Amino acid sequence: KNEVEQSPQNLTAQEGEFITINCSYSVGISALHWLQQHPGGGIVSLFMLSSGKKKHGRLIATINIQEKHSSLHITASHPRDSAVYICAASPSDSNYQLIWGAGTKLIIKP
Amino acid sequence: GAVVSQHPSWVICKSGTSVKIECRSLDFQATTMFWYRQFPKQSLMLMATSNEGSKATYEQGVEKDKFLINHASLTLSTLTVTSAHPEDSSFYICSPRLSAGRAGTNTGELFFGEGSRLTVL
């Protein structure tokens, strides 16, 4: 079993829909990262969470430390949101190493 | 956010040649650099971790003599794929860890280069 599990693996939705991507982890963490990888390959950090909730534009990320679960939400989704979304955990016993989720490929249809 | 520049963004080379990929942190110092490789439709896989001024630490299964990493300064790290073979064709991406500079001390935030797509014929 992977230490960081993401679901769903693939998600196709219509423009405007509310999107939720889930991430569960089994290790103690110092932070949980949500990243976006565009078709060209570039990776952008969206959020770094250690507790609670963060919001940036139409993106919202939440984390429940007790349940070891995090979610990434996209409101009013748009075709330009189509990308692979990756969660990665920073283990609490390692300063720099990351444990990567497998990614969720999101396609938003116009 | 911090700016990371990776070059070349794509390269095509003949089998047997060597290819150098550069990763520069433009506005901060990075004592640690991570190099990842990503095959199509797969997750990023950590290849090696380098610290400025010291030898890189390679992950299991990654040949240190084939993938040469140099991290001679706090703003530049290079990955050289030596004697490239078609199976080395992949997307290579660097990720520096902020140590000091404009953005202050290491906050744990992640930064990535734009990636380099290598095709070996």
Side-chain angles (χ1 to χ4, degrees), chain A residues 17-53:
Chain A
E17 287 189 38
F18 181 81
I19 303 299
T20 296
I21 299 170
N22 296 299
C23 178
S24 297
Y25 54 93
S26 57
V27 297
I29 65 167
S30 58
L32 191 288
H33 303 266
W34 281 101
L35 308 159
Q36 180 190 56
Q37 184 171 29
H38 277 280
I43 296 175
V44 175
S45 175
L46 299 176
F47 295 102
M48 182 174 73
L49 293 164
S50 54
S51 65
K53 174 181 176 179

Side-chain angles (χ1 to χ4, degrees), chain A residues 14-93:
Chain A
Q14 290 296 132
E15 182 174 357
E17 287 189 38
F18 181 81
I19 303 299
T20 296
I21 299 170
N22 296 299
C23 178
S24 297
Y25 54 93
S26 57
V27 297
I29 65 167
S30 58
L32 191 288
H33 303 266
W34 281 101
L35 308 159
Q36 180 190 56
Q37 184 171 29
H38 277 280
I43 296 175
V44 175
S45 175
L46 299 176
F47 295 102
M48 182 174 73
L49 293 164
S50 54
S51 65
K53 174 181 176 179
K54 287 190 177 180
K55 184 176 188 293
H56 185 250
R58 295 180 294 105
L59 301 177
I60 303 167
T62 63
I63 189 168
N64 184 316
I65 298 296
Q66 286 72 31
E67 295 185 2
K68 294 187 174 179
H69 181 268
S70 177
S71 293
L72 176 69
H73 305 285
I74 305 175
T75 61
S77 59
H78 191 275
R80 64 174 175 266
D81 297 326
S82 299
V84 175
Y85 292 84
I86 306 166
C87 70
S90 291
S92 52
D93 61 353

